[in-house]
PDB file of all heavy atoms in Angstrom:
ATOM      1  N   GLU A  10     -18.890   1.109 -22.616  1.00 92.00           N
ATOM      2  CA  GLU A  10     -19.752  -0.001 -23.051  1.00 92.00           C
ATOM      3  C   GLU A  10     -19.511  -1.194 -22.138  1.00 92.00           C
ATOM      4  O   GLU A  10     -18.387  -1.426 -21.726  1.00 92.00           O
ATOM      5  CB  GLU A  10     -19.344  -0.434 -24.469  1.00 92.00           C
ATOM      6  CG  GLU A  10     -19.487   0.617 -25.502  1.00 92.00           C
ATOM      7  CD  GLU A  10     -20.707   0.359 -26.368  1.00 92.00           C
ATOM      8  OE1 GLU A  10     -20.999  -0.821 -26.613  1.00 92.00           O
ATOM      9  OE2 GLU A  10     -21.350   1.346 -26.761  1.00 92.00           O
ATOM     10  N   ARG A  11     -20.540  -1.944 -21.863  1.00 92.00           N
ATOM     11  CA  ARG A  11     -20.357  -3.177 -21.100  1.00 92.00           C
ATOM     12  C   ARG A  11     -20.438  -4.357 -22.064  1.00 92.00           C
ATOM     13  O   ARG A  11     -21.075  -4.271 -23.107  1.00 92.00           O
ATOM     14  CB  ARG A  11     -21.443  -3.296 -20.031  1.00 92.00           C
ATOM     15  CG  ARG A  11     -21.301  -2.238 -18.933  1.00 92.00           C
ATOM     16  CD  ARG A  11     -22.505  -2.267 -18.014  1.00 92.00           C
ATOM     17  NE  ARG A  11     -22.579  -3.514 -17.255  1.00 92.00           N
ATOM     18  CZ  ARG A  11     -21.952  -3.721 -16.098  1.00 92.00           C
ATOM     19  NH1 ARG A  11     -21.211  -2.771 -15.582  1.00 92.00           N
ATOM     20  NH2 ARG A  11     -22.063  -4.869 -15.466  1.00 92.00           N
ATOM     21  N   ASP A  12     -19.769  -5.435 -21.725  1.00 93.00           N
ATOM     22  CA  ASP A  12     -19.881  -6.649 -22.540  1.00 93.00           C
ATOM     23  C   ASP A  12     -19.734  -7.870 -21.638  1.00 93.00           C
ATOM     24  O   ASP A  12     -19.782  -7.746 -20.407  1.00 93.00           O
ATOM     25  CB  ASP A  12     -18.870  -6.639 -23.716  1.00 93.00           C
ATOM     26  CG  ASP A  12     -17.425  -6.566 -23.249  1.00 93.00           C
ATOM     27  OD1 ASP A  12     -17.149  -6.987 -22.103  1.00 93.00           O
ATOM     28  OD2 ASP A  12     -16.571  -6.105 -24.016  1.00 93.00           O
ATOM     29  N   SER A  13     -19.497  -9.027 -22.248  1.00 94.00           N
ATOM     30  CA  SER A  13     -19.501 -10.259 -21.449  1.00 94.00           C
ATOM     31  C   SER A  13     -18.352 -10.306 -20.436  1.00 94.00           C
ATOM     32  O   SER A  13     -18.371 -11.122 -19.524  1.00 94.00           O
ATOM     33  CB  SER A  13     -19.430 -11.471 -22.368  1.00 94.00           C
ATOM     34  OG  SER A  13     -18.245 -11.365 -23.130  1.00 94.00           O
ATOM     35  N   MET A  14     -17.346  -9.433 -20.580  1.00 94.00           N
ATOM     36  CA  MET A  14     -16.234  -9.422 -19.625  1.00 94.00           C
ATOM     37  C   MET A  14     -16.550  -8.575 -18.385  1.00 94.00           C
ATOM     38  O   MET A  14     -15.872  -8.684 -17.373  1.00 94.00           O
ATOM     39  CB  MET A  14     -14.970  -8.839 -20.277  1.00 94.00           C
ATOM     40  CG  MET A  14     -14.318  -9.740 -21.288  1.00 94.00           C
ATOM     41  SD  MET A  14     -13.407 -11.082 -20.481  1.00 94.00           S
ATOM     42  CE  MET A  14     -11.816 -10.320 -20.219  1.00 94.00           C
ATOM     43  N   SER A  15     -17.557  -7.699 -18.469  1.00 95.00           N
ATOM     44  CA  SER A  15     -17.824  -6.750 -17.374  1.00 95.00           C
ATOM     45  C   SER A  15     -18.131  -7.506 -16.086  1.00 95.00           C
ATOM     46  O   SER A  15     -18.982  -8.393 -16.076  1.00 95.00           O
ATOM     47  CB  SER A  15     -19.020  -5.856 -17.718  1.00 95.00           C
ATOM     48  OG  SER A  15     -18.897  -5.351 -19.024  1.00 95.00           O
ATOM     49  N   ASN A  16     -17.457  -7.159 -15.024  1.00 95.00           N
ATOM     50  CA  ASN A  16     -17.665  -7.902 -13.765  1.00 95.00           C
ATOM     51  C   ASN A  16     -17.493  -7.027 -12.525  1.00 95.00           C
ATOM     52  O   ASN A  16     -17.061  -7.512 -11.483  1.00 95.00           O
ATOM     53  CB  ASN A  16     -16.702  -9.104 -13.703  1.00 95.00           C
ATOM     54  CG  ASN A  16     -15.248  -8.667 -13.691  1.00 95.00           C
ATOM     55  OD1 ASN A  16     -14.959  -7.492 -13.846  1.00 95.00           O
ATOM     56  ND2 ASN A  16     -14.344  -9.608 -13.478  1.00 95.00           N
ATOM     57  N   ILE A  17     -17.761  -5.713 -12.654  1.00 95.00           N
ATOM     58  CA  ILE A  17     -17.526  -4.826 -11.507  1.00 95.00           C
ATOM     59  C   ILE A  17     -18.843  -4.546 -10.781  1.00 95.00           C
ATOM     60  O   ILE A  17     -19.778  -4.002 -11.361  1.00 95.00           O
ATOM     61  CB  ILE A  17     -16.879  -3.503 -11.963  1.00 95.00           C
ATOM     62  CG1 ILE A  17     -15.606  -3.828 -12.754  1.00 95.00           C
ATOM     63  CG2 ILE A  17     -16.565  -2.612 -10.769  1.00 95.00           C
ATOM     64  CD1 ILE A  17     -14.913  -2.632 -13.314  1.00 95.00           C
ATOM     65  N   GLY A  18     -18.910  -4.928  -9.527  1.00 92.00           N
ATOM     66  CA  GLY A  18     -20.141  -4.774  -8.752  1.00 92.00           C
ATOM     67  C   GLY A  18     -20.170  -3.469  -7.970  1.00 92.00           C
ATOM     68  O   GLY A  18     -19.172  -2.743  -7.902  1.00 92.00           O
ATOM     69  N   PRO A  19     -21.327  -3.186  -7.350  1.00 92.00           N
ATOM     70  CA  PRO A  19     -21.520  -1.905  -6.659  1.00 92.00           C
ATOM     71  C   PRO A  19     -20.511  -1.657  -5.531  1.00 92.00           C
ATOM     72  O   PRO A  19     -20.112  -0.510  -5.302  1.00 92.00           O
ATOM     73  CB  PRO A  19     -22.936  -2.015  -6.075  1.00 92.00           C
ATOM     74  CG  PRO A  19     -23.575  -3.170  -6.753  1.00 92.00           C
ATOM     75  CD  PRO A  19     -22.528  -4.036  -7.337  1.00 92.00           C
ATOM     76  N   SER A  20     -20.057  -2.700  -4.839  1.00 91.00           N
ATOM     77  CA  SER A  20     -19.167  -2.435  -3.701  1.00 91.00           C
ATOM     78  C   SER A  20     -17.802  -1.938  -4.188  1.00 91.00           C
ATOM     79  O   SER A  20     -17.144  -1.144  -3.512  1.00 91.00           O
ATOM     80  CB  SER A  20     -19.000  -3.684  -2.827  1.00 91.00           C
ATOM     81  OG  SER A  20     -18.254  -4.651  -3.512  1.00 91.00           O
ATOM     82  N   ILE A  21     -17.399  -2.353  -5.381  1.00 93.00           N
ATOM     83  CA  ILE A  21     -16.133  -1.848  -5.948  1.00 93.00           C
ATOM     84  C   ILE A  21     -16.358  -0.446  -6.517  1.00 93.00           C
ATOM     85  O   ILE A  21     -15.543   0.464  -6.297  1.00 93.00           O
ATOM     86  CB  ILE A  21     -15.611  -2.814  -7.048  1.00 93.00           C
ATOM     87  CG1 ILE A  21     -15.313  -4.182  -6.425  1.00 93.00           C
ATOM     88  CG2 ILE A  21     -14.381  -2.250  -7.741  1.00 93.00           C
ATOM     89  CD1 ILE A  21     -14.233  -4.206  -5.376  1.00 93.00           C
ATOM     90  N   ILE A  22     -17.470  -0.248  -7.200  1.00 94.00           N
ATOM     91  CA  ILE A  22     -17.767   1.083  -7.757  1.00 94.00           C
ATOM     92  C   ILE A  22     -17.780   2.127  -6.635  1.00 94.00           C
ATOM     93  O   ILE A  22     -17.266   3.236  -6.787  1.00 94.00           O
ATOM     94  CB  ILE A  22     -19.112   1.054  -8.525  1.00 94.00           C
ATOM     95  CG1 ILE A  22     -18.929   0.210  -9.795  1.00 94.00           C
ATOM     96  CG2 ILE A  22     -19.585   2.472  -8.885  1.00 94.00           C
ATOM     97  CD1 ILE A  22     -20.171  -0.041 -10.588  1.00 94.00           C
ATOM     98  N   ALA A  23     -18.298   1.723  -5.469  1.00 92.00           N
ATOM     99  CA  ALA A  23     -18.378   2.667  -4.341  1.00 92.00           C
ATOM    100  C   ALA A  23     -16.985   3.104  -3.866  1.00 92.00           C
ATOM    101  O   ALA A  23     -16.835   4.138  -3.236  1.00 92.00           O
ATOM    102  CB  ALA A  23     -19.142   2.023  -3.190  1.00 92.00           C
ATOM    103  N   LYS A  24     -15.967   2.317  -4.181  1.00 93.00           N
ATOM    104  CA  LYS A  24     -14.609   2.654  -3.729  1.00 93.00           C
ATOM    105  C   LYS A  24     -13.880   3.587  -4.708  1.00 93.00           C
ATOM    106  O   LYS A  24     -12.842   4.150  -4.370  1.00 93.00           O
ATOM    107  CB  LYS A  24     -13.762   1.376  -3.592  1.00 93.00           C
ATOM    108  CG  LYS A  24     -14.265   0.373  -2.577  1.00 93.00           C
ATOM    109  CD  LYS A  24     -13.917   0.835  -1.174  1.00 93.00           C
ATOM    110  CE  LYS A  24     -14.131  -0.197  -0.104  1.00 93.00           C
ATOM    111  NZ  LYS A  24     -15.502  -0.665   0.034  1.00 93.00           N
ATOM    112  N   LEU A  25     -14.445   3.728  -5.934  1.00 93.00           N
ATOM    113  CA  LEU A  25     -13.670   4.378  -6.996  1.00 93.00           C
ATOM    114  C   LEU A  25     -13.265   5.819  -6.700  1.00 93.00           C
ATOM    115  O   LEU A  25     -12.206   6.252  -7.110  1.00 93.00           O
ATOM    116  CB  LEU A  25     -14.468   4.347  -8.309  1.00 93.00           C
ATOM    117  CG  LEU A  25     -14.427   3.019  -9.060  1.00 93.00           C
ATOM    118  CD1 LEU A  25     -15.366   3.054 -10.250  1.00 93.00           C
ATOM    119  CD2 LEU A  25     -13.006   2.720  -9.523  1.00 93.00           C
ATOM    120  N   ASN A  26     -14.117   6.538  -6.026  1.00 88.00           N
ATOM    121  CA  ASN A  26     -13.790   7.955  -5.791  1.00 88.00           C
ATOM    122  C   ASN A  26     -13.563   8.271  -4.323  1.00 88.00           C
ATOM    123  O   ASN A  26     -13.724   9.425  -3.906  1.00 88.00           O
ATOM    124  CB  ASN A  26     -14.887   8.836  -6.389  1.00 88.00           C
ATOM    125  CG  ASN A  26     -14.878   8.756  -7.907  1.00 88.00           C
ATOM    126  OD1 ASN A  26     -13.881   9.095  -8.535  1.00 88.00           O
ATOM    127  ND2 ASN A  26     -15.958   8.269  -8.490  1.00 88.00           N
ATOM    128  N   ARG A  27     -13.161   7.274  -3.556  1.00 90.00           N
ATOM    129  CA  ARG A  27     -12.952   7.529  -2.126  1.00 90.00           C
ATOM    130  C   ARG A  27     -11.693   8.374  -1.859  1.00 90.00           C
ATOM    131  O   ARG A  27     -11.609   9.080  -0.863  1.00 90.00           O
ATOM    132  CB  ARG A  27     -12.872   6.207  -1.352  1.00 90.00           C
ATOM    133  CG  ARG A  27     -14.223   5.585  -1.047  1.00 90.00           C
ATOM    134  CD  ARG A  27     -14.987   6.316   0.053  1.00 90.00           C
ATOM    135  NE  ARG A  27     -14.272   6.351   1.310  1.00 90.00           N
ATOM    136  CZ  ARG A  27     -14.244   5.375   2.196  1.00 90.00           C
ATOM    137  NH1 ARG A  27     -14.931   4.284   1.977  1.00 90.00           N
ATOM    138  NH2 ARG A  27     -13.548   5.496   3.311  1.00 90.00           N
ATOM    139  N   ARG A  28     -10.669   8.270  -2.723  1.00 89.00           N
ATOM    140  CA  ARG A  28      -9.481   9.138  -2.615  1.00 89.00           C
ATOM    141  C   ARG A  28      -8.890   9.200  -1.222  1.00 89.00           C
ATOM    142  O   ARG A  28      -8.829  10.271  -0.612  1.00 89.00           O
ATOM    143  CB  ARG A  28      -9.841  10.574  -3.004  1.00 89.00           C
ATOM    144  CG  ARG A  28     -10.557  10.685  -4.284  1.00 89.00           C
ATOM    145  CD  ARG A  28      -9.656  11.309  -5.325  1.00 89.00           C
ATOM    146  NE  ARG A  28     -10.309  11.210  -6.605  1.00 89.00           N
ATOM    147  CZ  ARG A  28     -10.999  12.174  -7.145  1.00 89.00           C
ATOM    148  NH1 ARG A  28     -11.089  13.321  -6.554  1.00 89.00           N
ATOM    149  NH2 ARG A  28     -11.562  11.984  -8.316  1.00 89.00           N
ATOM    150  N   LEU A  29      -8.474   8.084  -0.707  1.00 94.00           N
ATOM    151  CA  LEU A  29      -7.904   8.072   0.651  1.00 94.00           C
ATOM    152  C   LEU A  29      -6.657   8.959   0.729  1.00 94.00           C
ATOM    153  O   LEU A  29      -6.369   9.547   1.770  1.00 94.00           O
ATOM    154  CB  LEU A  29      -7.595   6.640   1.082  1.00 94.00           C
ATOM    155  CG  LEU A  29      -8.799   5.701   1.133  1.00 94.00           C
ATOM    156  CD1 LEU A  29      -8.396   4.334   1.674  1.00 94.00           C
ATOM    157  CD2 LEU A  29      -9.940   6.277   1.976  1.00 94.00           C
ATOM    158  N   PHE A  30      -5.940   9.075  -0.390  1.00 91.00           N
ATOM    159  CA  PHE A  30      -4.733   9.929  -0.394  1.00 91.00           C
ATOM    160  C   PHE A  30      -5.053  11.399  -0.179  1.00 91.00           C
ATOM    161  O   PHE A  30      -4.177  12.182   0.161  1.00 91.00           O
ATOM    162  CB  PHE A  30      -4.031   9.837  -1.745  1.00 91.00           C
ATOM    163  CG  PHE A  30      -3.222   8.600  -1.926  1.00 91.00           C
ATOM    164  CD1 PHE A  30      -2.858   8.192  -3.193  1.00 91.00           C
ATOM    165  CD2 PHE A  30      -2.790   7.858  -0.843  1.00 91.00           C
ATOM    166  CE1 PHE A  30      -2.091   7.057  -3.380  1.00 91.00           C
ATOM    167  CE2 PHE A  30      -2.031   6.716  -1.015  1.00 91.00           C
ATOM    168  CZ  PHE A  30      -1.680   6.316  -2.293  1.00 91.00           C
ATOM    169  N   ALA A  31      -6.299  11.785  -0.445  1.00 88.00           N
ATOM    170  CA  ALA A  31      -6.637  13.204  -0.320  1.00 88.00           C
ATOM    171  C   ALA A  31      -6.764  13.627   1.139  1.00 88.00           C
ATOM    172  O   ALA A  31      -6.899  14.808   1.431  1.00 88.00           O
ATOM    173  CB  ALA A  31      -7.928  13.497  -1.074  1.00 88.00           C
ATOM    174  N   GLN A  32      -6.713  12.664   2.057  1.00 95.00           N
ATOM    175  CA  GLN A  32      -6.808  12.992   3.487  1.00 95.00           C
ATOM    176  C   GLN A  32      -5.388  12.981   4.069  1.00 95.00           C
ATOM    177  O   GLN A  32      -4.828  11.907   4.276  1.00 95.00           O
ATOM    178  CB  GLN A  32      -7.650  11.953   4.222  1.00 95.00           C
ATOM    179  CG  GLN A  32      -9.038  11.750   3.656  1.00 95.00           C
ATOM    180  CD  GLN A  32      -9.734  10.543   4.300  1.00 95.00           C
ATOM    181  OE1 GLN A  32      -9.567  10.246   5.465  1.00 95.00           O
ATOM    182  NE2 GLN A  32     -10.520   9.833   3.525  1.00 95.00           N
ATOM    183  N   PRO A  33      -4.817  14.135   4.375  1.00 97.00           N
ATOM    184  CA  PRO A  33      -3.408  14.164   4.811  1.00 97.00           C
ATOM    185  C   PRO A  33      -3.149  13.391   6.102  1.00 97.00           C
ATOM    186  O   PRO A  33      -2.046  12.912   6.315  1.00 97.00           O
ATOM    187  CB  PRO A  33      -3.116  15.656   5.031  1.00 97.00           C
ATOM    188  CG  PRO A  33      -4.296  16.389   4.524  1.00 97.00           C
ATOM    189  CD  PRO A  33      -5.431  15.449   4.293  1.00 97.00           C
ATOM    190  N   ASN A  34      -4.179  13.245   6.956  1.00 98.00           N
ATOM    191  CA  ASN A  34      -3.981  12.517   8.219  1.00 98.00           C
ATOM    192  C   ASN A  34      -4.288  11.024   8.103  1.00 98.00           C
ATOM    193  O   ASN A  34      -4.281  10.312   9.096  1.00 98.00           O
ATOM    194  CB  ASN A  34      -4.866  13.108   9.323  1.00 98.00           C
ATOM    195  CG  ASN A  34      -4.443  14.520   9.671  1.00 98.00           C
ATOM    196  OD1 ASN A  34      -3.263  14.844   9.594  1.00 98.00           O
ATOM    197  ND2 ASN A  34      -5.394  15.361  10.024  1.00 98.00           N
ATOM    198  N   HIS A  35      -4.604  10.564   6.902  1.00 98.00           N
ATOM    199  CA  HIS A  35      -4.886   9.133   6.727  1.00 98.00           C
ATOM    200  C   HIS A  35      -3.561   8.363   6.733  1.00 98.00           C
ATOM    201  O   HIS A  35      -2.569   8.820   6.152  1.00 98.00           O
ATOM    202  CB  HIS A  35      -5.632   8.910   5.409  1.00 98.00           C
ATOM    203  CG  HIS A  35      -6.233   7.548   5.301  1.00 98.00           C
ATOM    204  ND1 HIS A  35      -5.486   6.438   4.958  1.00 98.00           N
ATOM    205  CD2 HIS A  35      -7.491   7.096   5.545  1.00 98.00           C
ATOM    206  CE1 HIS A  35      -6.277   5.367   4.975  1.00 98.00           C
ATOM    207  NE2 HIS A  35      -7.490   5.741   5.325  1.00 98.00           N
ATOM    208  N   PRO A  36      -3.530   7.183   7.394  1.00 98.00           N
ATOM    209  CA  PRO A  36      -2.247   6.456   7.463  1.00 98.00           C
ATOM    210  C   PRO A  36      -1.620   6.175   6.092  1.00 98.00           C
ATOM    211  O   PRO A  36      -0.390   6.169   5.978  1.00 98.00           O
ATOM    212  CB  PRO A  36      -2.602   5.148   8.187  1.00 98.00           C
ATOM    213  CG  PRO A  36      -4.077   5.132   8.384  1.00 98.00           C
ATOM    214  CD  PRO A  36      -4.588   6.511   8.184  1.00 98.00           C
ATOM    215  N   LEU A  37      -2.443   5.978   5.051  1.00 98.00           N
ATOM    216  CA  LEU A  37      -1.849   5.724   3.729  1.00 98.00           C
ATOM    217  C   LEU A  37      -1.154   6.967   3.183  1.00 98.00           C
ATOM    218  O   LEU A  37      -0.099   6.880   2.553  1.00 98.00           O
ATOM    219  CB  LEU A  37      -2.916   5.251   2.736  1.00 98.00           C
ATOM    220  CG  LEU A  37      -3.537   3.890   3.022  1.00 98.00           C
ATOM    221  CD1 LEU A  37      -4.607   3.569   1.995  1.00 98.00           C
ATOM    222  CD2 LEU A  37      -2.475   2.790   3.053  1.00 98.00           C
ATOM    223  N   SER A  38      -1.739   8.150   3.442  1.00 98.00           N
ATOM    224  CA  SER A  38      -1.084   9.394   3.024  1.00 98.00           C
ATOM    225  C   SER A  38       0.217   9.595   3.787  1.00 98.00           C
ATOM    226  O   SER A  38       1.217  10.045   3.226  1.00 98.00           O
ATOM    227  CB  SER A  38      -1.969  10.616   3.321  1.00 98.00           C
ATOM    228  OG  SER A  38      -3.065  10.639   2.485  1.00 98.00           O
ATOM    229  N   ILE A  39       0.183   9.262   5.078  1.00 98.00           N
ATOM    230  CA  ILE A  39       1.373   9.466   5.908  1.00 98.00           C
ATOM    231  C   ILE A  39       2.522   8.587   5.390  1.00 98.00           C
ATOM    232  O   ILE A  39       3.659   9.043   5.238  1.00 98.00           O
ATOM    233  CB  ILE A  39       1.065   9.166   7.395  1.00 98.00           C
ATOM    234  CG1 ILE A  39      -0.052  10.098   7.892  1.00 98.00           C
ATOM    235  CG2 ILE A  39       2.313   9.309   8.256  1.00 98.00           C
ATOM    236  CD1 ILE A  39      -0.603   9.745   9.280  1.00 98.00           C
ATOM    237  N   VAL A  40       2.213   7.333   5.084  1.00 98.00           N
ATOM    238  CA  VAL A  40       3.257   6.426   4.569  1.00 98.00           C
ATOM    239  C   VAL A  40       3.757   6.912   3.209  1.00 98.00           C
ATOM    240  O   VAL A  40       4.960   6.955   2.950  1.00 98.00           O
ATOM    241  CB  VAL A  40       2.721   4.979   4.472  1.00 98.00           C
ATOM    242  CG1 VAL A  40       3.705   4.084   3.758  1.00 98.00           C
ATOM    243  CG2 VAL A  40       2.444   4.433   5.851  1.00 98.00           C
ATOM    244  N   LYS A  41       2.823   7.295   2.353  1.00 98.00           N
ATOM    245  CA  LYS A  41       3.210   7.773   1.017  1.00 98.00           C
ATOM    246  C   LYS A  41       4.159   8.966   1.130  1.00 98.00           C
ATOM    247  O   LYS A  41       5.205   9.028   0.471  1.00 98.00           O
ATOM    248  CB  LYS A  41       1.944   8.168   0.238  1.00 98.00           C
ATOM    249  CG  LYS A  41       2.197   8.622  -1.165  1.00 98.00           C
ATOM    250  CD  LYS A  41       0.961   9.273  -1.770  1.00 98.00           C
ATOM    251  CE  LYS A  41       0.701  10.635  -1.143  1.00 98.00           C
ATOM    252  NZ  LYS A  41      -0.359  11.396  -1.808  1.00 98.00           N
ATOM    253  N   THR A  42       3.810   9.916   1.996  1.00 98.00           N
ATOM    254  CA  THR A  42       4.624  11.121   2.157  1.00 98.00           C
ATOM    255  C   THR A  42       5.996  10.779   2.743  1.00 98.00           C
ATOM    256  O   THR A  42       7.020  11.349   2.364  1.00 98.00           O
ATOM    257  CB  THR A  42       3.884  12.116   3.091  1.00 98.00           C
ATOM    258  OG1 THR A  42       2.577  12.303   2.567  1.00 98.00           O
ATOM    259  CG2 THR A  42       4.600  13.449   3.174  1.00 98.00           C
ATOM    260  N   HIS A  43       6.012   9.813   3.652  1.00 98.00           N
ATOM    261  CA  HIS A  43       7.276   9.426   4.284  1.00 98.00           C
ATOM    262  C   HIS A  43       8.204   8.734   3.268  1.00 98.00           C
ATOM    263  O   HIS A  43       9.421   8.938   3.283  1.00 98.00           O
ATOM    264  CB  HIS A  43       6.976   8.500   5.469  1.00 98.00           C
ATOM    265  CG  HIS A  43       8.128   8.301   6.386  1.00 98.00           C
ATOM    266  ND1 HIS A  43       8.796   9.347   6.994  1.00 98.00           N
ATOM    267  CD2 HIS A  43       8.770   7.172   6.782  1.00 98.00           C
ATOM    268  CE1 HIS A  43       9.783   8.859   7.720  1.00 98.00           C
ATOM    269  NE2 HIS A  43       9.790   7.548   7.617  1.00 98.00           N
TER     270      HIS A  43
END
Side-chain angles (χ1 to χ4, degrees):
E10 299 256 325
R11 292 172 66 86
D12 60 25
S13 59
M14 288 284 273
S15 313
N16 63 354
I17 305 177
S20 70
I21 298 297
I22 291 174
K24 298 283 191 299
L25 281 174
N26 292 300
R27 280 286 300 278
R28 310 251 171 97
L29 299 184
F30 282 161
Q32 305 171 35
N34 294 328
H35 193 280
L37 293 178
S38 290
I39 300 171
V40 172
K41 182 192 72 172
T42 307
H43 194 56

